[in-house]
Amino acid sequence: MRDPYKVLGVKRDAGADEIKTAWRNMAKAVHPDHNQGDPTATARFAEIGRAYETLKDPRKRNLFDSAVRMAETKKQEQTIMQQRHAAREAAARAKAAQANAERVMEELARANANAQKAAAAGAKQQQAGTTEAAEEMVERIFGAQTTRTAGAQAQPHAQQAHSQQAQARPHAAETAKQPEQETAESETARAEDEQTESTTGTGANMSLPLSLLTSLVRRFTGAGQPGLEKAPDEVATATVTIEDIMKGSWTTVSLPEGREVGFALPAGTTEGHQVRLKGQGFKLPGMQRGDAVINIHIAPDPRFTVDGFDVHAVLPLNIENAVLGTEARVDGPQGPLNVTVPAWSGSDKTIRIPDQGLPNDSGGKGDLVVELRIMLWEKPDAKVTDLMRSMREGLFL
């Protein structure tokens, strides 16, 4: 069963007289005798009757309101449980990340000690062959698979050693031919070169902790890592009016955790539309902040119904105006409008007024669709009754 308040188009705090009036108006509008061309008229009329039976009886109305409140409470509890579960999972991931950070700091201290030892010993060749790149060390600590193989790492060092040996042979032959003085100068220059190379190796070795720390910061801040896990989104529902959508009003909604966020209703907003507020969701350590996702619900309006960007309104007509045509005035979302009802207009006719509906996302607006409903007088009229009887039975006066 649908919500009887929505079926009759009344608020939950509506009084008995207001409910009765709404039922009478809608029952007249959708009565099967007045909508013989509409196959859904009977079902709609029965639904309106059931809704009125529920709301006119105080006991049934209280039972329905209690059931709705219980359902809303249960739904809210389920949402809170889901959010708590997501928060626990995020806390567990943050704890694991913290443990990994401690392991990285230990590796950093160990690498720093090795660097100082290598600098004191001047073991440049050994440092070049065994030092692990900062990014590779962080990937190894976090369990990432290394794409390079040991052979691929050793090949450049072997080529370097072979090149140094090839350069050393002609240099030694040339040195043997030089005088003793040139040999001494060459030895002095070679010693200076070795000292320079040793200093360079020490600087490269000392730069390892800095690069390792830089890599660690990039991993935990998410810099250069577009795949950093995102915290859960917070979902809420904002109930707005048709007037709010027409004006693009500023709307405030409370999130499940208690915070309030505000936003302007964008063009293209209709029933079920979602507004995503970037970075306004849950904030958890070690994760990108989630978004706030707001579901838009349009509050029921006794004057209108919404279909996409079109707004529908009902215009009651008596028989003479439906047959002869008339000028009428109808309420629209932007104010009252004058409409021309053509002669011989039945309840199957509609009048479409362009650009009087909700604003869409392409810069335009939907239409106001006026649905005609032929209504009888409140009291029977003898002349009209005789005329209808004569038309049905083929008697002409």
Side-chain angles (χ1 to χ4, degrees):
M1 177 181 176
R2 288 179 57 201
D3 189 339
Y5 294 100
K6 293 183 179 179
V7 173
L8 297 181
V10 297
K11 298 181 179 180
R12 294 190 179 277
D13 57 353
D17 293 339
E18 183 179 354
I19 293 174
K20 187 175 182 179
T21 301
W23 167 71
R24 284 182 174 177
N25 293 335
M26 297 193 69
K28 290 180 180 180
V30 302
H31 198 283
D33 293 343
H34 305 153
N35 299 273
Q36 296 181 3
D38 186 357
T40 64
T42 301
R44 290 161 57 194
F45 184 78
E47 184 181 39
I48 292 172
R50 290 193 299 268
Y52 179 62
E53 288 295 328
T54 300
L55 297 184
K56 76 174 183 178
D57 187 342
R59 186 183 64 84
K60 293 181 179 179
R61 184 177 180 179
N62 289 335
L63 289 175
F64 178 81
D65 292 342
S66 299
V68 170
R69 286 192 294 268
M70 291 178 62
E72 292 177 349
T73 302
K74 184 176 180 181
K75 183 178 179 181
Q76 185 177 7
E77 290 176 353
Q78 291 177 351
T79 302
I80 294 174
M81 293 299 295
Q82 292 174 356
Q83 292 171 354
R84 289 178 178 175
H85 180 69
R88 286 195 296 268
E89 291 182 349
R93 288 192 292 268
K95 185 177 180 180
Q98 183 179 2
N100 287 333
E102 294 176 355
R103 293 176 56 192
V104 169
M105 297 306 295
E106 292 177 0
E107 290 287 342
L108 180 62
R110 189 180 298 109
N112 190 19
N114 291 337
Q116 293 178 356
K117 183 178 179 181
K124 180 186 65 175
Q125 293 293 337
Q126 181 180 3
Q127 182 275 335
T130 59
T131 300
E132 185 177 26
E135 292 290 343
E136 294 175 355
M137 181 178 295
V138 173
E139 290 179 358
R140 175 176 59 80
I141 294 173
F142 280 91
Q145 295 184 354
T146 308
T147 57
R148 293 187 239 173
T149 62
Q153 293 177 349
Q155 184 176 358
H157 300 304
Q159 292 178 355
Q160 181 179 2
H162 180 73
S163 176
Q164 290 177 353
Q165 291 177 2
Q167 294 176 1
R169 291 193 190 98
H171 182 69
E174 184 178 355
T175 303
K177 297 178 182 179
Q178 296 297 330
E180 225 172 5
Q181 183 178 358
E182 295 178 356
T183 301
E185 293 174 356
S186 178
E187 291 296 335
T188 303
R190 186 179 296 107
E192 292 175 354
D193 290 342
E194 290 176 354
Q195 183 178 1
T196 302
E197 292 172 355
S198 176
T199 304
T200 303
T202 302
N205 202 3
M206 290 298 291
S207 67
L208 175 63
L210 180 60
S211 62
L212 199 70
L213 182 59
T214 302
S215 177
L216 176 63
V217 171
R218 283 203 307 269
R219 177 172 292 273
F220 281 96
T221 59
Q225 296 185 20
L228 186 64
E229 189 170 3
K230 183 180 175 182
D233 296 335
E234 284 194 82
V235 181
T237 299
T239 301
V240 299
T241 64
I242 294 177
E243 288 78 6
D244 292 335
I245 298 177
M246 297 294 297
K247 298 177 182 178
S249 301
W250 184 263
T251 302
T252 303
V253 62
S254 296
L255 297 178
E257 65 174 339
R259 290 186 299 112
E260 286 191 349
V261 293
F263 60 94
L265 291 171
T269 300
T270 186
E271 178 67 28
H273 182 78
Q274 282 191 342
V275 177
R276 181 174 290 273
L277 305 178
K278 295 289 186 181
Q280 295 293 322
F282 285 111
K283 183 178 181 182
L284 299 174
M287 304 178 71
Q288 292 185 15
R289 187 165 185 171
D291 302 336
V293 179
I294 312 301
N295 295 312
I296 301 299
H297 172 62
I298 300 178
D301 192 315
R303 301 170 299 166
F304 309 112
T305 57
V306 178
D307 182 12
F309 298 108
D310 293 338
V311 177
H312 290 242
V314 175
L315 176 60
L317 292 175
N318 54 31
I319 294 178
E320 61 266 30
N321 288 334
V323 173
L324 302 177
T326 186
E327 295 290 330
R329 195 167 181 82
V330 63
D331 285 335
Q334 302 181 58
L337 297 169
N338 294 323
V339 295
T340 300
V341 180
W344 211 255
S345 295
S347 294
D348 58 336
K349 301 287 186 176
T350 58
I351 301 175
R352 186 175 289 269
I353 305 176
D355 298 329
Q356 291 294 321
L358 302 182
N360 56 37
D361 49 6
S362 60
K365 290 183 178 180
D367 300 336
L368 173 63
V369 181
V370 181
E371 302 176 0
L372 304 181
R373 292 289 183 270
I374 299 178
M375 309 293 291
L376 295 177
W377 297 276
E378 292 185 1
K379 295 181 179 181
D381 186 282
K383 292 181 180 180
V384 174
T385 302
D386 291 340
L387 176 62
M388 295 299 105
R389 182 182 297 112
S390 63
M391 292 182 64
R392 184 178 65 181
E393 298 177 358
L395 300 177
F396 298 94
L397 299 178

